[in-house]
């Protein structure tokens, strides 16, 4: 089966840095996505990693280690609007490259 | 204007009723997907379609059916709704397998 694990909840302070981890055990790995989802809204794309290493995009960075089955999303200079759920999703090579999602990490940013 | 739209946005229905959720997109993407989201379980794939003539079951297709009426339209039906189908349903599209998926605003379905 496919297994993706993320912490359920995290709390951080405005202006700080937070790292959200994702570990996965899947067959036929073909890339990893991070999405942001505000309460009651649609998920929106944040980042994509297919090769090992760090991808940086403004205040957000994502890291991948395929050998360890591990990724993290790094959020810098936290703002109140970053309070949301962060979804890790693995794309599988089989089954038409479908995405398998983790349950998501609820991030609460406090002032 | 939204690129991926879903109707209705909210629906309350009774056990045994037939329900159809509709999804339309103006992004010109070939690939369309239906997911359901439940607290603590994340998004789970119900059905997906790579083009009008290609429909595939996802992880949790039992109790659901779909219709791809055109490249831009993908409908999800619950033939006889049951309470454990109460969930938030999302439609998504992607240009190709290697691209990110774009999600509609969701339909909140409650089955009493």
């Amino acid at each position: 089966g496919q297994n993706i694990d993320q912490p359920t909840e995290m709390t951080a302070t405005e202006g700080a840095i937070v790292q959200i981890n994702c570990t996965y055990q899947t067959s036929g790995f073909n890339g990893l996505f991070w999405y942001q989802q505000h309460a009651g809204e649609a998920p929106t794309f944040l980042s994509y990693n297919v090769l090992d290493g760090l991808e940086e995009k403004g205040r957000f960075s994502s890291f991948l280690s395929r050998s360890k089955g591990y990724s993290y999303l790094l959020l810098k200079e936290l703002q109140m609007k970053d309070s949301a759920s962060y979804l890790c999703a693995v794309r599988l090579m089989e089954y038409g490259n479908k995405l398998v999602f983790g349950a998501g990490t609820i991030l609460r940013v406090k002032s | 204007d939204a690129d991926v739209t879903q109707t209705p946005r909210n629906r309350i229905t009774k056990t045994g009723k037939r329900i159809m959720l509709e999804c339309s997109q103006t992004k010109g993407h070939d690939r369309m997907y239906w997911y359901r989201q439940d607290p603590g379980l994340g998004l789970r794939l119900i059905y997906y379609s790579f083009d009008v003539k290609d429909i595939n079951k996802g992880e949790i297709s039992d109790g659901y059916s779909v219709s791809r009426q055109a490249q831009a339209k993908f409908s999800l039906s619950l033939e006889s709704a049951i309470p454990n189908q109460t969930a938030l349903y999302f439609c998504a599209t992607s240009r190709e397998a290697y691209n990110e998926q774009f999600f509609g605003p969701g339909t909140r379905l409650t089955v009493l």
Side-chain angles (χ1 to χ4, degrees), chain A residues 6-91:
Chain A
Q6 307 177 232
T8 304
E9 296 184 14
M10 299 181 71
T11 300
T13 303
E14 192 175 17
I17 299 172
V18 70
Q19 177 174 313
I20 302 174
N21 296 324
C22 172
T23 59
Y24 62 89
Q25 293 172 304
T26 62
S27 56
F29 174 87
N30 198 23
L32 188 143
F33 291 83
W34 283 96
Y35 283 82
Q36 180 190 59
Q37 185 179 23
H38 286 98
E41 298 183 8
T44 55
F45 169 76
L46 285 178
S47 69
Y48 170 64
N49 296 71
V50 66
L51 299 176
D52 290 351
L54 189 68
E55 294 283 341
E56 298 187 78
K57 190 186 288 187
R59 293 190 300 116
F60 293 73
S61 303
S62 57
F63 171 83
L64 175 66
S65 169
R66 289 172 295 170
S67 63
K68 296 181 179 178
Y70 168 69
S71 174
Y72 67 73
L73 180 69
L74 194 70
L75 292 76
K76 303 175 186 175
E77 301 171 12
L78 278 175
Q79 303 175 10
M80 299 299 289
K81 67 178 182 179
D82 297 329
S83 293
S85 182
Y86 291 85
L87 313 177
C88 172
V90 172
R91 185 171 63 204

Side-chain angles (χ1 to χ4, degrees), chain B residues 15 33-35 38 40 42 45 56 61 65 78 82 93 101:
Chain B
T15 297
Y33 311 80
W34 275 106
Y35 293 91
D38 300 274
L45 184 63
N56 304 280
S61 59
S65 63
L78 289 68
I82 56 177
T93 74
Q101 293 182 15

Side-chain angles (χ1 to χ4, degrees), chain B residues 33-49:
Chain B
Y33 311 80
W34 275 106
Y35 293 91
R36 65 176 280 175
Q37 187 173 39
D38 300 274
L41 293 179
L43 288 157
R44 291 182 292 166
L45 184 63
I46 306 172
Y47 271 95
Y48 58 105
S49 169

